[in-house]
Amino acid sequence: HGPARTVGLAQCTPDNMLSLLALTAALASRSAVTPSYLRLRGGDVDTVTNGMALLQVASGTFAFMAPERNIEMYGYDKEPTKVEVAMMRYLAVGQVVLGATSVAGLEGGSKAAQAMSLSGGAASLLACAPVFEALGGPKEPLAAWIAALAVLGKATRAGKVKSVVPGTVLGGIAAAQALVAPDKTWEAYKNKLPATEMALALFSLAGGNLLANTAYVAVADKQGHKKGLCAGLALLAANCVK
C-alpha cells in the first residue's frame, strides 16, 4: 500500500507527521523538563490539545470539502474513483470528530469526550450517507450505526450511561474491522462498487484514527486527559507510518 498510505491524511505528510511526533514528545515529557519550559515551548496540555485539534479539524475539513484535490495534492496521479472519494470523506469526518473529542475532554472530562465522540460519530456517518449511498450497498447497516451512536451519545450526555465501556466497545469493533480486514469488511457491507487499493488504504487509515479516538477516551477516563492524549497521539503517529 506504499503510494496509497502517503496520501491518506493531510496529517500523514512528513511535516505534519513530525508535528504529531513533536506534540506527543512534548506532552510525554516528565520532570526533567520544568513546567515553565513546557509552557514556553508550547508543551502544556492546553496547547498540545488545541494544536492537535486544529491540525485534525483543518485537514479533515479540507479533505471533506475537496476530497479529489486532497488526494491529488499528495501525489496520487490517477483520477479518484467514487469509492476513493467516499473513503476520503469518511476519513476526513473522523479527523474532525477526533479533534472535537479531544477539546471536549480537555474542557469537560472523559464523559464529555465520550459523548462528543459518540454523537460526533453519528453526525459524521450521517454527513457521509449521500456518498455511501452512491456505492450501492444496503442502507440498513449505516442506519443502525447512526442510531446506536446517537442514542448512546445522548444517554451519555444525560448521565444515564456513566461508563465509557459501551462506547469503547463500539469504537473498538468499528476500528478493528477497518484495520484488520478492510477488504473483508468492504465485502461484508455488500457494496456494489469494488474497492481499489487506495480506497482500502483510506478505509484502514480511518480505522486507525477511530482507534486513536477510542484509546484517548478509554485512557483519559482512567488516567486523565494528559495520558489519554499521549495514547491518542502515539496511535495517530503509528497510523501514519504503518
Side-chain angles (χ1 to χ4, degrees), residues 100-164:
T101 298
S102 64
V103 173
L106 174 66
E107 296 181 351
S110 61
K111 299 302 185 297
Q114 179 73 300
M116 177 62 74
S117 177
L118 292 165
S119 298
S124 68
L125 289 177
L126 189 60
C128 285
V131 291
F132 287 161
E133 186 176 4
L135 305 181
K139 299 178 182 178
E140 291 80 5
L142 179 61
W145 273 107
I146 292 172
L149 292 171
V151 169
L152 190 54
K154 182 178 181 180
T156 302
R157 287 196 308 275
K160 295 179 180 178
V161 175
K162 301 184 182 301
S163 173
V164 302

